[in-house]
């Protein structure tokens, strides 16, 4: 392996490849930080440009865009309550609160450190033990995925806000809204009212941006400025401690970062789950384990660290099933698999045998990517922080424009703008009446995966629910769900007692 | 300063107008770029092959073909948009025949499949195959069928979804052999193959040929009309005596009522593009079967296939009546 790494380094270390990484990361950062324009879109837009490039260059460009895109999403999530990609929706919860407290730069820096560290860990896992991990991924059939999703739904308790009942109502609404569209098994229409635009369901991006970003724009519009300082959306703190992450703060979050990296890598290996879920799950677990769980959602640095570590660690790990088995773990790796095929490289076990040097070159490229987007990210953030000098009345109309453009761009469909506005209004009223919007989003992301998996499992077992309890991995996640529900109920009971 | 900016913007505006208006003088088609919708997401065989074709055809046409992704609704979203566009020859779409022949039968679409389009050129037949794990106990289709006869309902097969050609072929085999097996639909061929490798299903009827061609999966039969160049040993469904082959085609369409002269120009460009390197490379990688079917022949193919498809889906109890009027 050492030998392979050495030849790999030789291959990757050319000006062309390094430029590809820098350009890819930069494009990813810019696209990812614009709400609605996701990392997926960045990669898909770049793909056709790579057809005439040499193989390693093209892959590096795409990987750079992927990593940069996931990271870029966190910048606007923190500064503007506008997750650039679904992956950073969990970052909004604490990031924007910190920005409102004048600690936006601190939050950005925490996001950067934790993203890069978790990403690096995930890449090292990829390099060290890709092959054995891939076989674990294969054990996740429909019953295992169904139970994993059931467990993931317990995250809702962690982001429900003040009232768990309202959180559950919000989550149930998300589950329900996700059933709009074609039935995943029978392909019959459900709740589409003969509207072909709804066949593929409510698109995630307009739902996400509507709930988080547009609702915030509406809230800001409804606020009256009381003083001159209030003219600005963000407070820029002159206290230097608010603009950096101290060593002790970093150390306090380190556990959450490592846990997030583990969760992200685990989720990344299993095909078909995705970055959004990883960040929420990492966030939920960090809150459960934290000494200061009450701070989560009120501007906790640990929360940002957990969320960003979770989504960044997914990236390296999704390449494990792709490279070892030829299975794309998510939409982005599916697009990148297209690049492999076009160039005549078929991902799978043979790739390691026939082109080990090139594969290791790509691995090293992954790590260079981490370093590059760390540096580019630092520069980018310096300028992003100037947003705090833009008055609210200028800033939020601009955010509004981006919301609309982003929602339109995803499918070039005016219908999606209607969805955006509908969910903006829904989000506005939910917040006004004390319903957290995050549970709705989590349920909305999880529901389609979970529904397919449950129904596929029941087809496999000819209708017997025992299939969920007789397979060890599925049973493990079921028991984990039971344990965490008991934990949540007990926690609430205790807290309720101390209050009275 | 402010004035200077105003002037710059004004000049840019005038320039745009000038470029836009300079066109209409008499010239040979095409005199500007041709916007080409691709109705599936980038990276897949539809998108890659359309780009390969465009790369060849634009050399002949002398104008760029600009690819615009309009995916969603299994290809019906892009076709809906195309149906409403002007038939001036500057907006066309690359789509599968599925959006014309299969989806509209199962659910109502906002276009009339046989009336709203000008079929221009079919350039590739989509290959699909019945595959098992390399270490599977089944070596031939007969092994599989024998086992299924003894164990009704026990064989679980995955496909890219209910109503897909890959699903239909398995149901046709089951109907003709009088056997039962259990269908587990996935979201695409790739997740179905993942479940196959993990042992969660026994067989997959797949539309992604890369693992079959590279030997990572064992192929029991292919669903193409003729044997595949890349898999010369593997029999076709027709050879095995089943009255079905996957007739899904990749083709270019325009809105209804295109000028026949323009159709001809495109036809001849596409006919040459099929033989050119960019498309050949893609076809080989994705296991597509290159073909040349012009506008007239392809229109006739669609007309004749419609009643056949209706009958097949009725026989398999998948529909009662066609959900969309053909014209």
């Amino acid at each position: 392996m050492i030998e392979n790494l050495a030849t790999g380094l030789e291959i990757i270390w050319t000006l062309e490849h390094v430029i590809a990484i820098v350009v890819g990361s930069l494009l990813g950062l810019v696209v990812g930080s614009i709400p609605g324009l996701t990392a997926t879109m960045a990669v898909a837009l770049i793909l056709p440009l790579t057809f005439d490039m040499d193989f390693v260059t093209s892959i590096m460009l795409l990987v750079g865009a992927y990593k940069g895109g996931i990271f870029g999403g966190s910048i606007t999530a923190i500064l503007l309550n506008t997750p650039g990609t679904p992956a950073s929706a969990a970052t909004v919860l604490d990031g924007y609160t910190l920005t409102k407290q004048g600690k936006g730069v601190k939050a950005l820096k925490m996001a950067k450190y934790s993203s890069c560290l978790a990403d690096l860990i995930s890449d090292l896992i990829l390099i060290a033990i890709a092959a054995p991990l891939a076989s674990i991924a294969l054990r996740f059939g429909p019953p295992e995925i169904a139970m994993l999703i059931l467990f993931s739904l317990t995250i809702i308790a962690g982001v429900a806000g003040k009232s768990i009942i309202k959180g559950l109502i919000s989550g149930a609404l998300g589950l329900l809204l996700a059933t709009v569209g074609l039935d995943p098994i029978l392909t019959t229409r459900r709740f589409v009212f003969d509207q072909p635009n709804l066949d593929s369901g409510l698109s995630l991006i307009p739902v996400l941006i509507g709930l988080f970003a547009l609702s915030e724009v509406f809230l800001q519009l409804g606020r009256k400025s009381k003083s001159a300082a209030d003219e600005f959306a963000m407070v820029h703190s002159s206290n230097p401690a608010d603009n950096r992450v101290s060593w002790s703060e970093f150390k306090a979050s380190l556990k959450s970062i490592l846990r997030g990296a583990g969760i992200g890598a685990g989720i990344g290996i299993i095909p078909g789950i995705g970055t959004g879920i990883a960040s929420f799950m990492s966030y939920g677990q960090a809150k459960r384990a934290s000494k200061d769980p009450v701070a989560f959602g009120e501007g906790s640095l640990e929360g940002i660290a957990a969320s960003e570590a979770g989504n960044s660690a997914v990236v390296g790990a999704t390449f494990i099933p792709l490279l070892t088995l030829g299975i794309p773990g998510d939409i982005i790796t599916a697009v990148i698999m297209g690049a492999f095929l076009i160039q005549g490289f078929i991902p799978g076990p043979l790739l390691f045998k026939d082109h080990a040097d090139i594969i290791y070159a790509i691995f090293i490229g992954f790590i260079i990517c981490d370093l590059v987007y760390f540096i580019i990210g630092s520069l980018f953030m310096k300028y992003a922080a100037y947003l705090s000098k833009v008055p609210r009345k200028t800033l939020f109309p601009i955010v509004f424009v981006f919301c609309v453009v982003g929602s339109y761009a995803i499918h070039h469909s005016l219908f999606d703008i209607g969805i955006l506005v509908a969910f903006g209004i829904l989000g506005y009223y939910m917040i006004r009446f004390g319903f957290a919007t995050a549970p709705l989003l989590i349920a909305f992301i999880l529901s389609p995966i979970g529904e397919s998996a449950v129904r596929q499992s029941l087809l496999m077992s000819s209708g017997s629910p025992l299939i969920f309890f007789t397979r060890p991995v599925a049973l493990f996640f079921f028991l984990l769900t039971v344990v965490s529900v008991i934990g949540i109920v007990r926690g609430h009971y205790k807290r309720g007692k101390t209050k009275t | 300063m402010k004035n200077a900016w105003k002037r710059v913007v004004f000049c840019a505006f005038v320039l745009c107008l000038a470029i836009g208006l300079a066109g209409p003088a008499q010239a040979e088609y095409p005199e500007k770029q041709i916007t080409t919708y691709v109705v599936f997401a980038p990276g897949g065989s539809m998108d890659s092959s359309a780009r390969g074709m465009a790369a060849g055809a634009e050399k002949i046409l002398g104008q760029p073909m600009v690819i615009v992704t309009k995916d969603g609704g299994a290809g019906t979203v892009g076709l809906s948009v195309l149906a409403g566009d002007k038939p001036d020859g500057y907006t066309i779409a690359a789509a599968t025949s599925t959006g014309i022949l299969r989806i509209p039968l199962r659910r109502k679409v906002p276009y009339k499949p046989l009336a709203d389009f000008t079929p221009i050129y079919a350039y590739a037949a989509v290959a699909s195959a019945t595959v098992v794990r390399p270490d599977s106990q089944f070596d031939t289709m007969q092994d599989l069928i024998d086992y299924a006869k003894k164990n009704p309902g026990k064989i679980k097969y995955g496909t890219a979804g209910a109503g897909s050609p890959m699903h239909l072929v398995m149901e046709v085999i089951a109907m003709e052999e009088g056997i039962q097996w259990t269908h587990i639909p996935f979201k695409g061929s790739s997740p179905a193959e993942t479940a196959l490798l993990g042992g969660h299903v026994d067989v997959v009827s797949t539309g992604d040929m890369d693992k079959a061609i590279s030997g990572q999966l064992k192929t029991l039969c292919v669903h193409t009309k003729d044997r595949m160049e890349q898999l010369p040993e593997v029999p076709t469904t027709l050879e095995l005596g089943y009255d079905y082959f996957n007739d899904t085609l990749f083709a270019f369409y325009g809105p209804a009522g295109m000028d026949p002269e323009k159709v001809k120009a495109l036809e001849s460009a596409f006919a040459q593009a099929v033989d050119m390197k960019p498309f050949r490379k893609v076809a080989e990688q994705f296991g597509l079967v290159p073909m040349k079917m012009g506008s007239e022949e392809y229109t006739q193919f669609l007309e004749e296939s419609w009643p056949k498809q209706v009958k097949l889906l009725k026989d398999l109890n998948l529909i009662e009546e066609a959900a969309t009027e053909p014209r």
Side-chain angles (χ1 to χ4, degrees):
Chain A
M1 194 170 100
I2 301 292
E3 217 172 281
N4 282 328
L5 282 173
T7 37
L9 188 63
E10 231 168 84
I11 294 176
I12 197 81
W13 201 244
T14 67
L15 188 62
E16 204 182 348
H17 295 149
V18 175
I19 289 177
I21 293 171
V22 173
V23 171
S25 307
L26 201 59
L27 286 172
L29 257 174
V30 172
V31 174
S33 62
I34 297 172
L37 304 189
T38 58
T40 316
M41 201 184 273
V43 172
L45 287 174
I46 293 172
L47 176 71
L49 307 176
T50 67
F51 288 168
D52 296 324
M53 296 177 185
D54 91 80
F55 179 59
V56 178
T57 314
S58 72
I59 299 300
M60 286 300 73
L61 196 64
L62 294 168
V63 170
Y66 184 3
K67 291 194 171 201
I70 296 288
F71 176 59
S74 66
I75 297 173
T76 39
I78 290 171
L79 292 177
L80 297 170
N81 203 40
T82 304
T85 67
S88 42
T91 311
V92 166
L93 303 172
D94 291 291
Y96 188 56
T97 321
L98 279 170
T99 299
K100 283 197 281 194
Q101 296 165 2
K103 295 177 187 164
V105 177
K106 191 195 206 68
L108 284 175
K109 285 189 174 151
M110 191 72 223
K112 182 178 70 180
Y113 295 139
S114 99
S115 277
C116 291
L117 183 60
D119 205 340
L120 189 68
I121 293 171
S122 172
D123 291 346
L124 292 175
I125 292 175
L126 167 71
I127 295 174
I129 42 173
L133 279 177
S135 57
I136 297 176
L138 283 181
R139 298 193 57 175
F140 275 78
E144 286 76 18
I145 292 179
M147 289 293 114
L148 173 69
I149 296 293
L150 183 70
F151 171 62
S152 306
L153 281 172
T154 62
I155 309 164
I156 287 177
V159 293
K162 289 194 182 80
S163 157
I164 191 117
I165 299 289
K166 284 183 176 175
L168 287 174
I169 292 172
S170 167
L173 189 62
L175 288 176
L176 187 69
L177 287 169
T179 59
V180 172
L182 295 180
D183 177 297
I185 302 297
L186 302 169
T187 68
T188 44
R189 283 179 164 150
R190 299 189 299 204
F191 308 120
V192 299
F193 307 103
D194 269 337
Q195 226 341 307
N197 283 312
L198 282 174
D199 272 357
S200 30
L202 299 163
S203 332
L204 173 60
I205 295 298
V207 168
L208 165 80
I209 301 179
L211 275 182
F212 284 87
L214 196 58
S215 62
E216 177 67 20
V217 172
F218 290 157
L219 283 172
Q220 293 284 347
L221 284 176
R223 253 181 50 184
K224 284 195 190 103
S225 305
K226 289 182 197 105
S227 63
D230 222 27
E231 284 294 306
F232 297 95
M234 283 163 263
V235 203
H236 188 80
S237 173
S238 48
N239 182 358
D242 286 345
N243 291 318
R244 62 187 172 84
V245 176
S246 72
W247 173 242
S248 63
E249 283 168 330
F250 179 75
K251 229 169 54 186
S253 299
L254 190 61
K255 246 193 202 156
S256 292
I257 297 177
L258 296 179
R259 194 186 303 106
I263 291 171
I267 296 277
I269 292 166
I270 304 165
I273 308 290
T275 45
I277 296 171
S279 62
F280 272 115
M281 196 185 267
S282 167
Y283 184 85
Q285 296 305 320
K287 181 175 178 179
R288 208 164 291 167
S290 172
K291 283 184 203 127
D292 191 13
V294 189
F296 277 68
E298 307 286 333
S300 161
L301 274 181
E302 232 183 311
I304 294 179
S307 159
E308 283 302 307
N311 65 37
S312 298
V314 171
V315 178
T318 46
F319 280 84
I320 294 176
L322 177 71
L323 293 174
T324 53
L325 303 165
I327 295 167
D330 60 2
I331 309 165
I332 303 184
T333 35
V335 176
I336 294 180
M337 181 169 169
F340 271 80
L341 289 174
I342 296 257
Q343 302 269 2
F345 290 84
I346 296 168
L350 288 177
L351 195 62
F352 273 86
K353 240 203 250 148
D354 300 343
H355 302 286
D357 48 345
I358 290 184
I359 292 299
Y360 280 92
I362 292 175
F363 284 170
I364 295 172
F366 272 68
I367 292 177
I368 299 176
C369 264
D370 293 343
L371 300 176
V372 165
Y373 86 74
F374 185 84
I375 298 165
I376 296 181
S378 303
L379 294 172
F380 203 76
M381 282 174 175
K382 225 180 199 167
Y383 293 103
Y386 282 111
L387 280 175
S388 64
K389 301 231 162 73
V390 182
R392 278 200 300 143
K393 62 178 184 205
T394 314
L395 187 64
F396 282 96
I398 295 175
V399 173
F400 179 73
V401 169
F402 274 123
C403 289
V404 174
V405 170
S407 302
Y408 178 75
I410 200 93
H411 290 123
H412 304 99
S413 148
L414 278 176
F415 188 80
D416 280 351
I417 296 179
I419 294 178
L420 168 80
V421 174
F423 276 84
I425 293 169
L426 178 70
Y428 175 78
Y429 281 105
M430 282 176 73
I431 296 165
R432 286 285 299 272
F433 291 109
F435 288 88
T437 47
L440 194 160
L441 181 74
I442 295 176
F444 186 80
I445 296 175
L446 292 172
S447 171
I449 308 173
E451 191 199 343
S452 296
V454 167
R455 293 178 61 187
Q456 284 163 348
S457 307
L458 291 174
L459 282 172
M460 284 167 70
S461 67
S462 344
S464 159
L466 276 178
I467 192 167
F468 298 116
F469 310 111
T470 49
R471 299 164 55 122
V473 181
L475 184 66
F476 170 76
F477 280 108
F478 176 73
L479 293 177
L480 211 56
T481 313
V482 173
V483 169
S484 67
V485 169
I486 291 173
I488 293 161
V489 172
R490 273 181 58 188
H492 267 266
Y493 181 67
K494 255 194 220 159
R495 232 173 293 154
K497 239 182 177 176
T498 49
K499 256 186 212 160
T500 46
Chain B
M1 193 61 204
K2 222 179 183 181
N3 259 331
W5 270 110
K6 261 187 195 163
R7 246 173 267 161
V8 170
V9 172
F10 180 70
C11 292
F13 180 69
V14 171
L15 203 66
C16 290
L17 269 185
I19 294 169
L21 292 175
Q26 279 296 321
E28 213 164 291
Y29 172 81
E31 50 195 81
K32 58 176 186 186
Q33 66 176 46
I34 299 171
T35 304
T36 309
Y37 303 147
V38 172
V39 302
F40 286 101
S45 55
M46 174 83 249
D47 174 72
S48 307
S49 68
R51 286 180 199 278
M53 284 296 287
E58 59 191 17
K59 284 194 190 107
I60 314 289
L61 294 166
Q63 290 289 347
M65 290 182 66
V66 179
I67 304 282
V68 176
T69 303
K70 280 213 192 290
D71 58 336
T76 55
V77 170
L79 284 172
S80 313
V81 177
L82 182 74
D85 279 321
K86 264 187 285 177
D88 58 3
Y90 293 105
T91 313
I92 61 173
T96 59
S97 52
T98 324
I100 308 278
L101 285 178
R102 204 161 283 112
I103 312 282
L105 293 175
R106 292 175 55 84
R107 49 180 191 263
K108 195 163 170 38
V109 293
Y111 51 82
K112 302 263 175 276
L114 297 181
D116 284 352
F117 306 105
T118 307
I120 298 173
Y121 200 85
Y123 62 89
V126 179
S128 57
T130 304
V131 294
V132 292
R133 280 185 297 282
D135 59 354
S136 162
Q137 53 169 317
F138 309 117
D139 289 320
T140 63
M141 239 7 231
Q142 199 53 51
D143 292 349
L144 188 68
I145 286 157
D146 289 343
Y147 184 88
K149 272 192 179 146
K150 280 180 212 134
N151 304 283
K154 229 180 149 194
I155 296 257
K156 290 175 291 228
Y157 74 93
T159 73
S164 66
M166 286 74 80
H167 172 215
L168 297 185
V169 69
M170 294 300 281
E171 289 306 312
V172 167
I173 293 173
M175 188 171 65
E176 293 187 7
E177 292 284 353
I179 51 174
Q180 267 187 331
W181 38 36
T182 306
H183 178 220
I184 318 248
F186 289 84
K187 275 196 179 135
S189 289
S190 178
E193 286 180 348
T194 309
L196 177 70
L197 288 170
H200 310 291
V201 294
D202 311 294
V203 185
V204 165
S205 182
T206 181
D208 286 348
M209 296 300 292
D210 54 290
K211 286 196 192 58
I213 292 171
S214 67
Q216 289 177 55
L217 293 172
K218 188 156 59 174
T219 313
L220 301 184
C221 70
V222 292
H223 315 147
T224 43
K225 200 172 178 187
D226 303 299
R227 287 196 182 206
M228 287 182 67
E229 255 172 60
Q230 297 96 324
L231 294 164
E233 308 290 309
V234 181
T236 64
T237 38
L238 291 176
E239 283 174 52
L240 293 172
Y242 306 113
D243 183 23
Y244 186 88
F245 68 95
N246 186 351
D247 56 0
T248 308
L249 303 179
F250 283 177
F252 288 98
Y253 305 83
M258 261 176 78
D259 176 4
E261 289 301 311
K262 291 179 178 170
V263 174
K264 268 211 186 94
L266 291 172
E267 260 182 332
S268 84
F270 289 138
Q272 294 172 66
V274 172
D275 292 325
M276 289 161 83
K277 212 180 143 203
F279 171 68
R280 286 284 160 170
K281 200 171 141 193
V282 175
E284 198 181 309
Q285 284 309 328
F286 286 92
L288 298 170
V289 185
M291 60 182 288
K292 295 178 176 181
M293 197 191 266
S295 176
E296 210 169 298
E297 198 185 340
Y298 186 44
T299 311
Q300 200 185 344
F301 167 84
L302 293 174
E303 299 272 352
E304 285 170 3
S305 295
W306 181 273
K308 280 190 211 160
Q309 288 287 339
V310 174
K311 183 175 180 305
L312 177 68
L313 291 180
K314 276 187 189 166
D315 287 348
L316 293 173
N317 278 326
L318 288 168
I319 58 165
E320 282 166 13
E321 275 311 319
T324 314
E325 290 291 314
R327 55 180 82 246

